[in-house]
């Protein structure tokens, strides 16, 4: 009996976990976008620091190998380290409302007739079958 009651209680709690969350507010969306941009910048910055550290280690290895009289292998061609610069977040402009986008504007007035003087057989010849 206790197992059945425990199972029912767990089922009731599980159903509350499946409830829908409310939609995020515009402020929350903006904060999430800024956080995503900062995370991407942190990744680029960490990559730059790693690249500089690897270049320094390779230079020290080459110097110590040359000083010891060991043969120094040729350097592998790698892209230069690019500094991402300081973090700058530029918020995206809000989308224009449909009324301001011009999507509902009527078509312009026709300047020429829709058809030409040539017959359709001339403009779209079809091969004989």
């Amino acid at each position: 009996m206790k197992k059945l009651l425990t199972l029912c209680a767990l089922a009731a709690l599980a159903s509350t976990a499946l409830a829908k969350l409310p939609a995020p507010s515009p402020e929350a969306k903006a904060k999430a976008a800024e956080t995503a941009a900062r995370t991407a910048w942190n990744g680029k910055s960490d990559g730059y620091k790693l690249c500089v550290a690897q270049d320094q280690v390779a230079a020290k290895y080459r110097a110590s190998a040359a000083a010891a009289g060991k043969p120094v292998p040729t350097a592998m061609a790698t892209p230069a380290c690019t500094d991402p610069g300081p973090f700058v977040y530029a918020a995206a402009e809000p989308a224009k409302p449909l009324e301001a986008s011009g999507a509902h504007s009527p078509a312009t007035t026709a300047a020429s007739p829709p058809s030409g003087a040539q017959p359709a057989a001339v403009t779209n010849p079809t091969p004989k079958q």
Side-chain angles (χ1 to χ4, degrees):
M1 187 65 150
K2 287 182 183 179
K3 288 182 182 180
L4 183 61
L5 289 175
T6 305
L7 185 61
C8 289
L10 287 176
L13 290 175
S15 65
T16 60
L18 297 175
K20 284 191 174 184
L21 295 174
S25 66
E27 294 83 18
K29 287 181 184 179
K31 185 68 174 171
E34 182 178 357
T35 302
R38 183 171 296 277
T39 302
W41 177 83
N42 280 337
K44 290 177 186 176
S45 178
D46 290 344
Y48 171 72
K49 291 176 186 175
L50 176 65
C51 181
V52 170
Q54 287 174 338
D55 287 348
Q56 290 173 350
V57 169
K60 285 182 184 179
Y61 169 75
R62 290 185 172 292
S64 67
K70 294 181 182 178
V72 180
T74 57
M76 218 167 107
T78 57
C81 302
T82 54
D83 187 6
F87 177 71
V88 179
Y89 177 69
E93 290 185 26
K96 289 182 181 179
L98 187 61
E99 294 81 20
S101 67
H104 65 285
S105 301
T108 58
T109 307
S112 63
S115 61
Q118 294 180 344
V122 174
T123 58
N124 297 324
T126 56
K128 290 186 178 182
Q129 294 180 6

